[in-house]
Amino acid sequence: MPLTAGIVGLPNVGKSTLFNAITNSQVLAENYPFATIAPNVGVVEVPDQRMDEIVKLFHPKRTIYTTFEFTDIAGLVKGASKGEGLGNQFLSHIREVDAICHVVRCFDDDNIMHVEGSVDPVRDIDEINVELCIADLETVENRISRVARKAQTKEKDAVIEYAVLTKLQEGLAAGTPVRLLDLEDSEKELLKGFSLLTAKPVIYIANMSEEEINTPEENTYYQQVKELADGEGSGCIAVCARLEEELSGLSREEKEVFMEELGISRSGLDQIIVEAYHLLGLRTFFTVGEPECRAWTFREGMLAPQCAGIIHSDFERGFIRAEIYSYEDLMTYKTEASLKEHGKIRLEGKEYPMKDGDIVYFRFNV
């Protein structure tokens, strides 16, 4: 389930520095279950303290965390929707990602030029949003031209689609991203095939200086980004990209010591990974044992057989039932023998919706 977030931003906002931190933290190829990693894709482990605690109990020979992908998107300049700069490349790459991490500069530094000549995070966000809205508007209007004639003949599906497209056209023309429009669930479902740029969920990443990262609320630029993000219902994370790049080159032990000295409990990169993971409705179940403890990614709402299929298609095809207990119960009773003794291991069937933190053994027969 290789879902990915695209890292976007204007030139000189810290986007490349942040991506360097991600690639320095990239998981080893043998622990990554998908294809060859492209140069502009960073694959990172999703930090999960639950796995750390599970490992202490089972002492496995191998531990595999779940992973998440980040794609470094070509830099954007004004006019990207018309092909300026690397605009066409930017737009094509962003269509392929599931969520957007929008890096915004929130620090002053006379030695680092800003493409607009001054630091103004809200202006920068608007600039990218405008380009994405223009590109989406072109997509929507092209679709309207194809469906309008069918709608005039009262063809039911065409009438419904035309009404939704018209609503999108009005919103985009006014500069409102699709994700902020008031749409019914059925209308959102209809949009899935259009790959609209502004329909993707967003996390704003406020890139700050090392001096201010411990007290982001005192940074005026961060306050502006946070207010905008809260108004949209989007995420907002304060990071220092330069510091994240330094941290990513350290061992886990060195990183913990360095963060403790800086008074940081969790790195900005870890916050971004977890926020992006949950933003897309992703959850984690675990398989455990002495040979291997492993975390698996599933979408919220998936049933037990579908989750079994994430491990292997035969598990789903021949699914019988799942033996399940919760992470919280494991922490209470410590061993599977004690869990059984206290009736905490359940047998669940094909209609069971998997829950975040489930520890499971799938029974199957093919």
Side-chain angles (χ1 to χ4, degrees):
M1 189 179 289
L3 296 176
T4 182
I7 301 177
V8 307
L10 294 173
N12 295 336
V13 298
K15 182 174 70 71
S16 297
T17 305
L18 182 63
F19 188 72
N20 287 341
I22 289 169
T23 52
N24 285 342
S25 302
Q26 190 157 286
V27 297
L28 298 175
E30 58 264 31
N31 284 344
Y32 183 58
F34 304 110
T36 302
I37 299 169
N40 68 326
V41 175
V43 182
V44 293
E45 291 178 340
V46 177
D48 196 327
Q49 189 176 0
R50 295 174 300 181
M51 177 61 100
D52 300 335
E53 297 302 319
I54 287 170
V55 166
K56 291 176 185 177
L57 295 177
F58 286 90
H59 307 288
K61 296 175 182 176
R62 190 179 186 208
T63 302
I64 301 179
Y65 289 74
T66 192
T67 57
F68 192 80
E69 288 186 2
F70 287 93
T71 299
D72 189 23
I73 306 254
L76 175 141
V77 296
K78 190 178 293 185
S81 57
K82 303 300 181 185
E84 294 294 329
L86 293 174
N88 291 330
Q89 182 181 348
F90 174 93
L91 296 173
S92 65
H93 284 176
I94 204 170
R95 289 189 198 283
E96 298 169 3
V97 303
D98 302 288
I100 296 171
C101 291
H102 187 160
V103 183
V104 189
R105 178 168 163 176
C106 292
F107 64 90
D108 291 307
D109 189 334
D110 293 337
N111 296 316
I112 302 177
M113 183 187 72
H114 192 289
V115 69
E116 295 293 344
S118 63
V119 177
D120 185 338
V122 173
R123 177 204 58 207
D124 295 350
I125 290 170
D126 287 342
E127 191 163 301
I128 285 186
N129 279 341
V130 165
E131 296 299 332
L132 300 185
C133 283
I134 292 172
D136 277 351
L137 184 59
E138 183 178 353
T139 299
V140 167
E141 289 179 340
N142 286 340
R143 183 63 186 172
I144 286 176
S145 66
R146 289 196 292 272
V147 79
R149 186 172 298 177
K150 291 182 180 179
Q152 289 175 349
T153 63
K154 305 300 182 184
E155 186 177 314
K156 184 179 178 181
D157 290 345
V159 170
I160 294 172
E161 183 177 346
Y162 183 79
V164 175
L165 290 169
T166 302
K167 185 186 293 188
L168 298 184
Q169 183 184 36
E170 292 173 355
L172 290 166
T176 304
V178 170
R179 68 179 180 278
L180 302 183
L181 296 177
D182 185 17
L183 299 173
E184 303 288 341
D185 289 342
S186 59
E187 294 174 323
K188 293 177 183 177
E189 189 67 28
L190 185 64
L191 299 182
K192 287 184 178 179
F194 297 162
S195 297
L196 295 176
L197 306 172
T198 64
K200 300 178 187 295
V202 173
I203 301 169
Y204 293 107
I205 301 173
N207 184 21
M208 301 171 59
S209 67
E210 290 185 39
E211 294 75 24
E212 295 181 293
I213 190 59
N214 281 338
T215 55
E217 64 281 352
E218 295 178 11
N219 179 296
T220 302
Y221 299 134
Y222 171 77
Q223 292 173 5
Q224 293 170 357
V225 177
K226 184 71 166 62
E227 183 179 356
L228 184 147
D230 289 346
E232 290 186 359
S234 298
C236 180
I237 297 173
V239 305
C240 173
R242 187 176 297 173
L243 178 61
E244 296 301 323
E245 189 175 23
E246 291 178 23
L247 286 171
S248 66
L250 303 177
S251 67
R252 177 174 288 193
E253 293 75 19
E254 292 172 329
K255 183 177 177 180
E256 288 176 355
V257 171
F258 190 20
M259 287 171 58
E260 187 174 344
E261 290 175 353
L262 295 171
I264 300 173
S265 59
R266 189 166 61 157
S267 76
L269 180 54
D270 283 354
Q271 293 179 60
I272 293 168
I273 295 167
V274 171
E275 180 80 9
Y277 188 80
H278 285 278
L279 183 68
L280 292 171
L282 303 181
R283 302 294 181 260
T284 304
F285 72 86
F286 303 95
T287 52
V288 300
E290 187 179 333
E292 178 184 280
C293 286
R294 184 163 184 166
W296 303 85
T297 298
F298 70 100
R299 280 193 181 276
E300 189 171 21
M302 289 179 70
L303 301 180
Q306 295 172 304
C307 289
I310 292 171
I311 299 176
H312 196 286
S313 57
D314 285 349
F315 284 28
E316 181 174 8
R317 187 159 53 90
F319 179 89
I320 299 173
R321 64 180 63 90
E323 296 181 8
I324 296 176
Y325 54 91
S326 71
Y327 167 79
E328 289 76 16
D329 284 340
L330 176 63
M331 291 301 102
T332 299
Y333 297 102
K334 305 303 181 184
T335 68
E336 291 187 336
S338 182
L339 286 162
K340 285 181 181 177
E341 181 183 338
H342 290 86
K344 296 300 181 179
I345 298 181
R346 317 182 308 274
L347 291 179
E348 300 288 358
K350 294 182 177 181
E351 299 305 314
Y352 173 72
M354 292 285 286
K355 295 181 176 60
D356 186 52
D358 276 348
I359 300 172
V360 59
Y361 173 76
F362 291 110
R363 294 185 182 180
F364 72 102
N365 182 32
V366 291

